[in-house]
Amino acid sequence: MTSTRLITRIFALVGVLMLGGAGLLYQNTTKFIASAGKAQGEVTQLLRVESSRRNSSDTWRPLVRFKAPSGEIIEFSPSSSSSPPAYDKGEVVGVFFNPAHPQDARLDGFFDLWGGATIVGGLGTVFLAFAVGLNLLLSDGARAKRRRPR
């Protein structure tokens, strides 16, 4: 097996695994939304996330407060952050939460719900497309070599 064929197979494998991971992330989010309660929350403050790189700017993530059906006040902060901040202090936001464990909550926004599946699926698609394209290129090149008279 040539090194190019090996690289093609590795890219294809990585692409398929990433697409499978994206499918699992999608399924996990779909199940969460189907069983989740919904509430209105408020961004109480913006938390600064310091960059680990010297030349990068810091990012911000919201601290959100909402009231669970039990009357309990819940505060949470999503794991994603952005620069500039995606939310403003005092902004009203939709919240999905696990009724059994209201601390398990997610913001009702595209990136907060589907960002992981979108990024992993997009990268998986690129890896798989590269592998397929390289495979087609190699198979056309091999056919052309076989057709040439010697």
Side-chain angles (χ1 to χ4, degrees), residues 27-138:
Q27 185 179 32
N28 181 306
T29 300
T30 302
K31 283 183 182 179
F32 179 80
I33 291 172
S35 64
K38 186 148 176 152
Q40 291 293 312
E42 180 182 349
V43 177
T44 58
Q45 62 179 301
L46 297 172
L47 306 173
R48 189 171 105 196
V49 179
E50 291 185 29
S51 174
S52 58
R53 289 191 236 145
R54 214 165 82 187
N55 296 332
S56 295
S57 63
D58 295 339
T59 58
W60 302 87
R61 66 181 186 195
L63 180 65
V64 177
R65 178 181 294 159
F66 70 97
K67 190 175 191 176
S70 65
E72 180 183 8
I73 301 295
I74 306 292
E75 279 193 335
F76 78 99
S77 183
S79 59
S80 61
S81 59
S82 64
S83 180
Y87 300 93
D88 295 319
K89 186 176 177 182
E91 184 174 346
V92 176
V93 293
V95 176
F96 285 108
F97 64 92
N98 179 340
H101 304 283
Q103 298 81 7
D104 179 14
R106 299 183 197 177
L107 291 175
D108 182 11
F110 179 82
F111 191 79
D112 294 291
L113 294 172
W114 308 107
T118 302
I119 291 169
V120 174
L123 287 172
T125 301
V126 169
F127 271 77
L128 195 55
F130 178 80
V132 169
L134 191 57
N135 192 41
L136 289 172
L137 185 65
L138 289 174

